[in-house]
Amino acid sequence: MTPSRFAGADAIERLREEAAACRSCPLWRNVTQTVFGEGAAGAHLLFVGEQPGDREDRAGRPFVGPAGQIFDKALAEAGVDRSTVYVTNAVKHFKFEPGKRRLHKSPNGSEIAACRSWLLAEIEAVNPRLVVALGATAAQSLTGRPLRVGASARRWTSTAADA
């Protein structure tokens, strides 16, 4: 499914509703729900993580688990109010190893590609000045190609849409 493009104040909410019905990859089968981005619709900063974790899947909100707590602390130390930014993930469903505890498993290229249109639609709707990739999966989704974080850290990179 390709997300529809919307303009206006309710663009993100309408995209969130569409994404909830997405069946473009098999990850949706074992999760609680789709975890879409959230934050200020006109944010100047947009942060992209890898995927929701167990707590995010259960809560239906991004960046609320242990990594989200570290993220919140980093924002606070930088003097950035989280309510002024937009946070999302490259992959909208939690990929995990089944078992007593649902342990995180990295998404593969086809799962990243399946969610890429949602991420690009979020970016279009928010229209931030700066998009920050928090890891290799986020960078791959944004650029359309695998990137090694160590080799790409602290460097400006164009998205595939910009090329």
Side-chain angles (χ1 to χ4, degrees):
M1 171 184 242
T2 302
S4 300
R5 303 289 194 239
F6 297 101
D10 61 355
I12 295 166
E13 186 57 38
R14 294 186 66 192
L15 287 167
R16 178 180 288 110
E17 290 170 9
E18 284 188 11
C22 183
R23 304 294 184 260
S24 295
C25 78
L27 292 181
W28 67 272
R29 291 187 180 122
N30 298 317
V31 299
T32 306
Q33 60 199 309
T34 301
V35 179
F36 209 70
E38 68 179 20
H44 294 297
L45 284 170
L46 186 146
F47 293 91
V48 182
E50 178 183 67
Q51 69 170 330
D54 182 59
R55 289 191 187 161
E56 288 81 4
D57 177 55
R58 294 177 194 280
R61 297 183 54 226
F63 291 75
V64 296
Q69 293 170 1
I70 293 168
F71 176 75
D72 287 345
K73 183 178 178 187
L75 284 179
E77 287 176 6
V80 177
D81 180 351
R82 181 168 168 164
S83 69
T84 67
V85 304
Y86 189 87
V87 296
T88 192
N89 286 298
V91 175
K92 307 303 182 192
H93 293 113
F94 176 38
K95 183 174 184 178
F96 60 93
E97 290 287 336
K100 190 179 237 183
R101 288 187 50 218
R102 301 186 320 165
L103 299 176
H104 171 272
K105 187 174 179 185
S106 293
N108 63 39
S110 65
E111 293 157 347
I112 294 167
C115 284
R116 187 165 193 267
S117 60
W118 297 114
L119 177 59
L120 296 179
E122 281 178 289
I123 293 168
E124 182 179 315
V126 175
N127 193 27
R129 289 185 181 171
L130 181 65
V131 177
V132 179
L134 302 173
T137 298
Q140 179 176 345
S141 183
L142 289 166
T143 64
R145 62 187 183 277
L147 290 175
R148 289 184 27 235
V149 172
S152 303
R154 298 178 190 91
R155 292 185 21 209
W156 296 98
T157 304
S158 296
T159 65
D162 293 336

